[in-house]
Amino acid sequence: MADKHKFVIGIDLGTTNCALAYVELNDDKDSKPDIKDFLIPQLTGPGVVEEKPLLPSFMYIASNVEFAEGALDLPWAKGRGYFLGEFAQKRGSESPKRLVSSAKSWLCHEGVSRNDKILPFGPDIECEKFSPIEVTAKYLEHLKDAWNYKMASKNKENRMEEQSILITVPASFDAAARDLTLKAAESAGLSNITLLEEPQAAFYSWLNQMGDGWRREVKEGDVVLVFDVGGGTTDFSLIAVTQKGGDLTLNRIAVGNHILLGGDNMDIALANLVRNKIEAAGKKIDNWQFQALWYSSRNAKEIILSDPKMDKVPVTVLSRGKSVIGGVIKSEITRGEIEEMLLNGFFPAVKSNDMPSKTIRSGLSEIGLPYATEPAITKHLAKFLSEHINNENYNLKGKGKFVHPTAVLFNGGVMKSDILRLRSIETLNDWLAADAGSSLKNLSAVDMALAVARGAAYFGNARLGRGIRIKGGTARSYYIGIQTAMPAIPGLKAPMKALCVVPARTEEGTTLEIPGREFELCVGEESEFKMFSSATHKEEAPGKILDEWAEGDLIEMPSLKTTIEVREEKTGTVIPVTLESAVTEIGTVEVWCVARNNKKYKLEFNIRESN
């Protein structure tokens, strides 16, 4: 790989912002990698292109009469009817129905077909629409074109397509969402892709920041909690510090479930607070205005949290009245209002046994993103630490009522706030004190907005033997559904068992034989394969069959409906097969059905879109 690629490129494909960092490879494997941030050219206004460290993950679809000819041109693209980045975010706050946001959350939403053109989302939106995969590809394409414009205009060997590329995804992304991310990258013209979990990337960034000093910050037996709250998701991971051959090693031992809860939720809550103030003054805010208020509230929040001297920020929204003059409704958000909303609403000081509340769902609801119904991030954290107390591999059992982290590393745009980090540490330390534990250490991180991209670049370098690697393999165990053989009985469906095909912590590049027995495979006609994953069943061996499981232990993933190719067999034939599985180098999972004549039938394990 070192001979093939000139650069290692790390891409943080974020819900709210994208970032890119890179390392230029050299022959000195012992030197600390020189990780550089890439400033991304983008529109910041009509006809204005500037370089910024972040590319906001927003896409605006312009009308034919909205801008003068050439106002949306980039150095590498002219005549497009859409644009991305800072100006898209700003323009979308004024005309939200043409704005695409949270494409990453839609990409992992099982309740919609992610190949369908559904964004901007809404039944009354008449502009051109794009699929979540297409929008994700547009962000990656912008990064690729910007890189090639700046770095490869004189040397084609520097083109991004020729480099080793690391793209980060939430640790909680399932196999389907990971594969769709790869599909978007391929659509953008990129190859040589490896996926990396965001919390691991954040930790790699910290390792690079500390250099050899990281061994003085953590010791054998430590368990580091990576606490990552971004624009759209909350991710928790645990990394254990162990010792092998006298050297400290790092092992990722647990990840949380996918939680659609983050800065977007907080911005909506603040927008609702401002709407109540405006309506209390006698002015009505409709749905269109509320979306604009959402983006204005986000801007106000970021200003106040980044500037301790700022006590209040004005918030404005366009009036929907007929008069052009004076067509602005004004309000404000104060520091006290923001802190009270965020601390009490999203980071309340709860107890370690306070779990997320379960709400009774409405019988009918609009199709939309499956946001978490419990807004308290501290309750989700309590659930995560409690769920993994039985992780026997790293001797976490018997240390209390929940996993006791000894250190915490914060990441994500939300956690840049001092008050939110302080509240989180205070809450964790209260839990630890009440459970006979010791106070945890705060591992200081530099520039959380860029840490994930930098960490991805570090990891790409470490894969070449040029740095520390976190071990851990797959974050979850994966299962395939096996239908029970039983006589046909009216009104009774044959029960489903779950066969473990990939245990948690299986390393990339591993092939596994599933020992012990044969199964029947239907070929030549459409059949359905049930898939499951689990973040809590860690110790199953390949071939272990679960006859039953508790609610929440296994998460059913989108089923795979396919027709296994007929060869010599007749349509509808059932043939005996054994199973093999593989975790690819890029982190996806494959299952192979092996017939007695050694012919193999491949199942792409929950990585296709079902229709």
Side-chain angles (χ1 to χ4, degrees), residues 4-5 9 144-145 147-148 152 156-165 188-192:
K4 184 178 179 181
H5 307 300
I9 297 174
K144 180 195 72 173
D145 291 342
W147 170 277
N148 290 342
K156 291 185 178 181
E157 292 182 356
N158 291 354
R159 292 182 66 83
M160 184 179 284
E161 301 95 307
E162 305 300 322
Q163 312 312 319
S164 174
I165 303 170
L190 298 176
S191 56
N192 307 317

Side-chain angles (χ1 to χ4, degrees), residues 15 41 81 86 147 167-168 205 212 214 256 273 313 333 352 397 406 413 426 436 442 447 501 561 609:
T15 307
E86 185 174 303
W147 170 277
I167 297 177
T168 63
S205 179
D212 291 337
W214 74 270
L273 183 151
V313 174
I333 298 181
S352 64
K397 199 172 183 179
T406 58
E426 289 175 344
N442 181 21
D447 205 336
V501 289
K561 292 182 180 179
E609 280 285 84

Side-chain angles (χ1 to χ4, degrees), residues 100-139:
V100 177
S101 62
S102 302
K104 182 177 177 179
S105 297
W106 286 103
L107 192 70
C108 66
H109 184 8
E110 300 171 1
V112 299
S113 176
R114 290 156 280 190
N115 284 306
D116 288 352
K117 296 180 182 294
I118 59 175
L119 303 177
F121 191 77
D124 58 340
I125 296 174
E126 298 179 354
C127 67
E128 181 183 6
K129 291 195 174 188
F130 298 83
S131 72
I133 296 174
E134 287 175 324
V135 176
T136 304
K138 299 288 185 194
Y139 296 145

Side-chain angles (χ1 to χ4, degrees), residues 21 59 70 83 169 211 217 380 431 542 547 588:
M59 175 177 171
F83 53 98
V169 294
E217 295 295 313
H380 290 286
W431 296 351
D547 294 316
T588 57

